[in-house]
Amino acid sequence: MSKNAIKADYVDVDCGPALVGRLLPQRPPFLMVDRVDAFAPGDRPAVRASRFLTANESFFAGHFPDLPIMPGALLLEGVGQTASLAFTLSAILDAYTERGSDLEQLVADMASLDAAFSLKPGFRDPGKPLIMDAFERLRGLPVGVAGGVRLKFLRAVTPGCRLVYEAQLTHRLAEQVRFEVLATVDGEPVLEGSLAAAILEDLPLPGR
C-alpha cells in the first residue's frame, strides 16, 4: 500500500468535535478525532478525518519528556476511530436513502447539527432531521477492531502538527469487515496498512 492507495470520491463534510462526539463512543482524552473533513459513499465508503496535536496532549508528557512523540497505539486508535466513522456514516446514509433522501441532505443536516451542538451561527431548526432517526437506529458500537492489524509506522508524530486520517472499507463478509487506513502529516505518510474488524450491536453507546 502506498500513500496514494486510498482512492475515493470524497464530498466535503462540516463536522466538528461536538458532532464527532455523537458519532463515536470514545471521549477525551481517548477521542483521537477532532473533525470529519470528508466522506465518500458507495460500496467502499471512506472517511477523511483530522486531529490537531498540541503540546498539551497528556501523552506527550510521558512519551517522552525530552522528545515528545505520539505513541503508535494512539495512531492505531485514530485510524480505528476513522474506520468506525466510515462505517457509521455509511449506515446513516442508508437510512436517508430508505427515506427517499440523499447525501446532500445528510451533509446539510450534519452541518446544521454541528452548528447547534457547537453553539455556532448557522443552525436551522428542521424539526427532527433524518439524522436523529438514523442515530436511534445505531443501537450499539458499529465497529470494533477484532484483529488482523497490519500497519507500518513510517515517521514520528510530534506536537504542533495536523494529523490527517483516512479509512476505506474494502471487504465485508457477514459481520467481518476490512479497512485500508492511512495517516499523514503535511501530505507525508506516517502510518499505513489495514485493519480487520467486527460489527457489534450490543455494546451501548453513551447518550443513546
Side-chain angles (χ1 to χ4, degrees):
M1 176 181 173
S2 72
K3 67 179 181 179
N4 297 316
I6 295 181
K7 302 292 186 182
D9 294 326
Y10 283 115
V11 174
D12 290 341
V13 173
D14 184 10
C15 179
L19 185 53
V20 168
R22 300 295 183 102
L23 296 170
L24 287 172
Q26 291 86 355
R27 292 294 179 267
F30 206 64
L31 185 59
M32 294 294 114
V33 175
D34 287 336
R35 299 193 60 81
V36 176
D37 300 308
F39 170 61
D43 294 334
R44 293 164 57 95
V47 158
R48 183 188 297 130
S50 58
R51 168 78 185 266
F52 183 75
L53 297 173
T54 72
N56 295 323
E57 307 287 350
S58 58
F59 48 80
F60 283 137
H63 193 274
F64 300 92
D66 298 322
L67 183 63
I69 297 174
M70 186 175 184
L74 296 184
L75 280 172
L76 165 61
E77 181 63 26
V79 292
Q81 290 179 15
T82 305
S84 183
L85 285 166
F87 190 87
T88 299
L89 288 177
S90 182
I92 290 175
L93 181 58
D94 286 345
Y96 269 61
T97 302
E98 290 173 9
R99 293 289 196 89
S101 193
D102 57 15
L103 177 61
E104 183 178 356
Q105 185 62 54
L106 171 58
V107 171
D109 285 347
M110 289 177 65
S112 180
L113 281 180
D114 185 67
F117 294 152
S118 307
L119 302 179
K120 297 186 300 185
F123 172 65
R124 56 180 177 75
D125 185 2
K128 185 177 182 181
L130 287 177
I131 195 170
M132 301 307 291
D133 287 329
F135 280 153
E136 292 174 1
R137 290 175 47 155
L138 298 175
R139 298 187 303 275
L141 180 64
V143 176
V145 174
V149 177
R150 296 185 178 183
L151 298 175
K152 292 181 181 179
F153 295 90
L154 304 171
R155 289 177 175 79
V157 178
T158 56
C161 70
R162 180 173 177 266
L163 185 59
V164 177
Y165 307 111
E166 289 188 77
Q168 184 173 44
L169 178 66
T170 58
H171 299 83
R172 178 171 182 176
L173 179 62
E175 301 304 301
Q176 303 298 312
V177 289
R178 183 176 180 273
F179 295 87
E180 296 292 335
V181 295
L182 174 69
T184 60
V185 173
D186 294 330
E188 294 297 321
V190 297
L191 172 153
E192 60 183 23
S194 64
L195 302 175
I199 302 168
L200 306 177
E201 294 188 352
D202 296 324
L203 186 61
L205 289 170
R208 298 293 156 82

